[in-house]
């Protein structure tokens, strides 16, 4: 088959390496970014995770740099150690047929070793902002010869508070350098950096996904009471064929809590978040990749960009705060067109956010039914039986056959059942007691007698508070405070009850008026 990378202008040795990696077709971001970077332009690349951004910048930059083994020519900055390591591995594969020298620098690892390598002369430096700064301060890392700077996952660096460090680093490099910035999102801070540190004619390459979430991922949600959240998680993973699962929590604390509970229930699981030390995190990632553990419980930041194959399930133990984070989480599964499953456990108040996710990602999140105890039992027993069949098929059981032959034949069914009971017991760590978990009953949201519920198109996103809503109706329509009730502010809109005899006045005077800077629209809400 023709190798479509050949059309992009990459150097022969890099092309050979890409062929070696087994890639024949550039991804859209690679197709657009590689020629630009080769042409010497600064770029901002925006594409979903898992779209091959590392190869996009790596192949172009490695095509251009020389084997000088002196001062660093390329500097790749990444927000986390894991990502830096991952980039390092990929870059080395791309540079397989070039005699370049590399160093990967990050906190929590032996700095002395890194210093030694740098002193011998390196062409490419990959690292986290903190450690790069440290090595600069020690006058070991000299950046004046750097011609290429890559800021990978720039929005993540921004969020983690690395802006100043990144700026300091950029200022120490040669102003003729080429700057390549990758970011999943484009917050103001990124635009500022681009404006300040990139050439005026920089190209913004944005790869729009047809749908933001992979179409190969099936998404389900489960609505539960707070106290049932953990049991729901257990029920879900007990009936699913999880090869590798990543469970997301919002905070480090809740990661630790979930891991502790899961370990107590006998699951093979470890935590991944920023408070854990370097070695631990690397080990955990390796274990997940090799299948030594089945589950990872992580915060959004810790898991960003991490590339683990075979993640069959992503489970949102809690919803993230932003739609984008949801998309990133889900993107951990269903990679390379494999099938993936995403479960999201929500509480009733999360409904509107869930709807928003569906809308923005153009996907549907189906309502799932929490597995019953009977289902869990049947599932596990079936799996035990099919494992037993495998053993028989492979003949592993034969060495015990003579023992079984001594058992009274009439007792064999009881023995078999008892053995199943033992295995089942071992495999089911959570002490289920109830057959089902009930979903919470919906609060009645309608307006009370004599009031009409209105829908207003402004919400927390517009920094609207209860007082603002009251003031708005009082000022614009001369409504009494007592005639305003039941204010329920969501992200993009607000529900409010207004006394029936004031409605006409409100609709006449408030339609298309401004709350803060948002020109709003008002509708009578659906009362059902
Ligand atoms: P991103 O940085 O966009 O999240 P990565 O650079 O981590 O994505 O790449 C994700 C995976 O895709 C890696 O395992 C990488 O080796 C692989 N990959 C990159 N480019 C291609 C390609 N053109 N064809 C197939 N796989 C690719
Ligand atoms: Mg990446």
């Amino acid at each position: 088959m023709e190798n479509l990378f050949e059309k992009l202008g990459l150097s022969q040795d890099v092309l050979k390496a890409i062929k070696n990696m087994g890639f024949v077709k550039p991804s859209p971001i690679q197709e657009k970014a590689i020629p630009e970077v080769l042409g010497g332009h600064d770029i901002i690349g925006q594409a979903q995770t898992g779209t091959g951004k590392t190869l996009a910048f790596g192949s172009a930059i490695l095509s251009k740099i020389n084997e000088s083994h002196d001062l660093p020519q390329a500097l790749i900055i990444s927000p986390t150690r894991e990502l830096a390591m991952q980039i390092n591995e990929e870059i080395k594969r791309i540079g397989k047929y070039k005699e370049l020298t590399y160093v990967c620098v990050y906190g929590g690892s032996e700095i002395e070793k890194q210093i030694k390598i740098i002193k011998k002369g390196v062409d490419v430096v990959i690292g986290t902002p903190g450690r790069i700064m440290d090595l600069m301060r020690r006058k070991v890392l000299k950046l004046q010869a750097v011609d290429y700077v890559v800021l990978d996952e720039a929005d993540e660096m921004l969020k983690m508070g690395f802006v100043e460090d990144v700026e300091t680093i950029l200022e120490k490099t040669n102003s003729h350098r080429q700057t390549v910035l990758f970011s999943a999102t484009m917050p103001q801070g990124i635009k500022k950096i681009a404006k300040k540190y990139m050439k005026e004619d920089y190209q913004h390459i944005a790869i729009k996904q047809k749908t933001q979430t992979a179409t190969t991922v099936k998404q389900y949600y489960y609505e539960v009471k707070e106290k049932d959240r953990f049991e729901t998680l257990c029920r879900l993973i007990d009936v699913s064929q999880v090869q590798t699962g990543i469970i997301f929590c919002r905070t480090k604390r809740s990661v630790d809590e979930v891991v502790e509970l899961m370990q107590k229930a006998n699951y093979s699981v470890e935590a991944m978040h920023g408070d854990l030390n370097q070695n631990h995190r690397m080990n955990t990632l390796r274990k997940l990749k090799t299948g030594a553990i089945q589950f990872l419980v992580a915060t959004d930041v810790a898991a960003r960009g991490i590339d683990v194959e075979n993640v069959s399930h992503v489970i949102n133990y809690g919803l993230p705060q932003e739609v984008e984070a949801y998309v990133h989480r889900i993107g951990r599964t269903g990679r390379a067109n494999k099938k993936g499953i995403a479960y999201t456990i929500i509480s009733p108040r999360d409904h509107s956010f869930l709807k928003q996710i569906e809308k923005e990602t153009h996907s549907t999140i189906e309502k799932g039914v929490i597995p019953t105890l009977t289902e869990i039992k049947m599932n596990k027993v079936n799996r035990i039986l099919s494992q037993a069949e495998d053993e028989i098929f492979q003949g592993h059981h034969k060495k015990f056959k003579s023992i079984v032959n001594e058992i009274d034949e009439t007792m064999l069914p009881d023995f078999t059942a008892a053995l199943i009971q033992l295995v089942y017991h071992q495999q089911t760590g959570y002490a289920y007691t109830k057959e089902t978990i009930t979903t919470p009953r919906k609060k009645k949201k309608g307006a009370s007698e004599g009031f009409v519920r209105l829908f207003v198109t402004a919400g927390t996103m517009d920094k609207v508070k209860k007082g603002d809503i009251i003031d708005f109706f009082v000022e614009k329509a001369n409504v009494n405070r007592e005639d305003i009730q039941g204010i329920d502010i969501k992200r993009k809109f607000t529900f409010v009850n207004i006394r029936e005899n004031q409605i006409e006045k409100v609709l006449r005077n408030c339609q298309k008026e401004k709350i803060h800077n948002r020109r709003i629209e008002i509708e009578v809400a659906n009362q059902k």
Side-chain angles (χ1 to χ4, degrees), residues 455-480:
F455 173 87
V456 181
T457 57
T460 52
M461 231 177 72
D462 310 288
K463 306 212 164 46
V464 167
K465 304 228 166 52
K466 273 194 183 165
D468 301 325
I469 298 287
I470 296 172
D471 290 346
F472 175 74
F473 288 112
V474 170
E475 276 169 35
K476 301 276 184 222
N478 207 8
V479 178
N480 285 325

Side-chain angles (χ1 to χ4, degrees), residues 42 49 64 99 164 202 219 350 371 374 387 397 495 499:
D42 283 3
T49 18
K64 290 168 59 143
E99 299 281 313
E164 277 175 30
Y202 74 80
Q219 304 171 67
D350 294 327
T374 310
Q387 279 167 358
H397 67 307
F495 286 109
R499 198 178 296 279

Side-chain angles (χ1 to χ4, degrees), residues 9-43:
L10 294 164
S11 71
Q12 285 309 317
D13 38 21
V14 166
L15 276 176
K16 192 168 156 197
I18 292 176
K19 208 179 238 170
N20 219 294
M21 290 159 86
F23 304 155
V24 286
K25 191 171 180 293
S27 68
I29 186 79
Q30 290 164 357
E31 203 168 353
K32 289 230 169 85
I34 290 171
E36 291 294 336
V37 179
L38 287 173
H41 300 290
D42 283 3
I43 63 158

